[in-house]
Amino acid sequence: MNNDLTRLMETLENIKVEYNDGIALVIMNRPKALNALNNKTLNELEIVFEQLNECKEVRGIVITGEGKAFVAGADILQMQSYKSEEGRDYAGYAQSVFNKIEAIDKPVIAAVNGYALGGGCELAMCCDLRIASEKAIFGQPEVKLGVIPCFGGTQRLTRLVGAGRAKDLIYTARQIKPDEALSMGLVNRVTTEEALIAEAKSCMKMIIENAPIAIKYAKLVINKGTDLDLMNALELEKDAAGLAFATEDKQEGMNAFIEKRKPVFKCR
């Protein structure tokens, strides 16, 4: 791992980062506060993902939580005194951090180990995939506090599960277990608590065995295409395909297939 990332890890208070075989494990580390997202934690999260995006050794990222929560939400003690402008600014900052995570060139998996409520559910939703422990709990309880999901929840939840289910979860503020989250498309897989990190890393290893530039372009087209009409989204797909065909990795992948060997991708 590069020196900048190593030095950064030594300064973090609310997040831990571990690295092995191309995969960075980001651990939300405020267990006494159920990993609630205050300004400092959001700032550390932003800096960590900026550094991980720049680190060539890191091919994929798994994010999870220390203790019994993934992230139990935003920090209510911090928000309690906020008025209109402060609340809007806080929402805007959190959205900008989550947007960066969603847009990062590398695949990101949320390994949801426990409570993923409010901002925690929103953090999981900005990741590419969500793998949940059997003990995970999902929900958007903001209306019980007199506010609304505002770290991207009203939009990402709707895009993942549809408007009807999103309104159900947001309006009722109810909490759901992994089986229901799986059935509605909020999570991709459910596993045991003991196997969660191993399952997430196994999934990531399968991903990063493939051409990294192709993964990057596929992620870009999927994310951007969601907000376009079909014809423009297909144009975007075609453009990205052209860029992928120009890479050395494309030639290596096709040569390896024809020669019946495992490809060696060099990210160029």
Side-chain angles (χ1 to χ4, degrees):
M1 190 173 296
N2 66 32
N3 291 333
D4 288 343
L5 191 53
T6 301
R7 285 194 294 269
L8 171 65
M9 288 162 55
E10 294 172 353
T11 69
L12 299 174
E13 294 182 16
N14 297 335
I15 295 176
K16 295 189 294 187
V17 182
E18 299 174 2
Y19 171 79
N20 189 46
D21 291 336
I23 300 172
L25 178 64
V26 176
I27 305 169
M28 308 303 291
N29 190 35
R30 294 184 72 209
K32 291 182 179 179
L34 297 180
N35 302 322
L37 296 169
N38 59 7
N39 279 331
K40 183 170 182 57
T41 305
L42 285 169
N43 181 247
E44 288 189 2
L45 193 61
E46 179 179 27
I47 294 169
V48 164
F49 271 84
E50 286 174 351
Q51 287 292 322
L52 291 175
N53 199 37
E54 294 297 320
C55 183
K56 292 181 180 179
E57 295 97 326
V58 173
R59 298 276 304 280
I61 302 163
V62 174
I63 183 167
T64 193
E66 186 71 41
K68 63 181 181 180
F70 175 70
V71 169
D75 194 320
I76 297 173
L77 288 176
Q78 178 181 296
M79 296 188 297
Q80 186 179 21
S81 62
Y82 283 179
K83 303 301 181 186
S84 177
E85 185 173 350
E86 293 167 309
R88 191 179 192 280
D89 289 345
Y90 185 46
Y93 179 53
Q95 285 181 9
S96 73
V97 175
F98 288 7
N99 289 344
K100 288 179 181 179
I101 295 172
E102 184 175 58
I104 194 173
D105 287 344
K106 303 169 184 184
V108 183
I109 294 176
V112 183
N113 53 300
Y115 294 111
L117 305 175
C121 189
E122 290 166 306
L123 174 59
M125 288 190 292
C126 73
C127 299
D128 295 300
L129 301 175
R130 285 151 295 283
I131 299 177
S133 154
E134 292 171 337
K135 292 189 175 181
I137 299 290
F138 297 86
Q140 298 289 165
E142 287 87 350
V143 295
K144 285 190 173 184
L145 302 173
V147 292
I148 67 170
C150 59
F151 291 4
T154 62
Q155 302 308 304
R156 288 193 177 95
L157 185 59
T158 300
R159 285 163 168 75
L160 279 171
V161 306
R165 290 191 177 101
K167 289 176 179 179
D168 174 8
L169 292 178
I170 292 170
Y171 293 2
T172 64
R174 68 188 180 90
Q175 298 179 6
I176 63 171
K177 294 182 179 180
D179 56 347
E180 185 174 357
L182 180 65
S183 70
M184 68 171 59
L186 180 54
V187 302
N188 301 88
R189 305 181 190 180
V190 178
T191 186
T192 63
E193 181 182 22
E194 296 76 18
L196 176 64
I197 301 302
E199 177 75 12
K201 287 184 175 180
S202 176
C203 179
M204 185 60 76
K205 285 179 182 177
M206 187 179 297
I207 292 170
I208 65 177
E209 286 179 353
N210 300 312
I213 298 177
I215 296 293
K216 169 185 171 180
Y217 288 150
K219 177 172 180 172
L220 174 68
V221 173
I222 292 169
N223 286 354
K224 296 292 185 183
T226 303
D227 296 322
L228 300 174
D229 63 84
L230 180 59
M231 289 299 102
N232 281 310
L234 290 172
E235 283 295 312
L236 180 64
E237 180 183 83
K238 184 169 63 178
D239 290 343
L243 293 172
F245 267 84
T247 64
E248 291 181 23
D249 281 354
K250 167 263 175 185
Q251 200 60 51
E252 167 64 12
M254 295 193 177
N255 288 346
F257 179 83
I258 292 168
E259 296 164 10
K260 295 181 171 56
R261 61 175 174 82
K262 187 174 181 179
V264 179
F265 295 118
K266 297 181 179 178
C267 196
R268 59 177 188 248

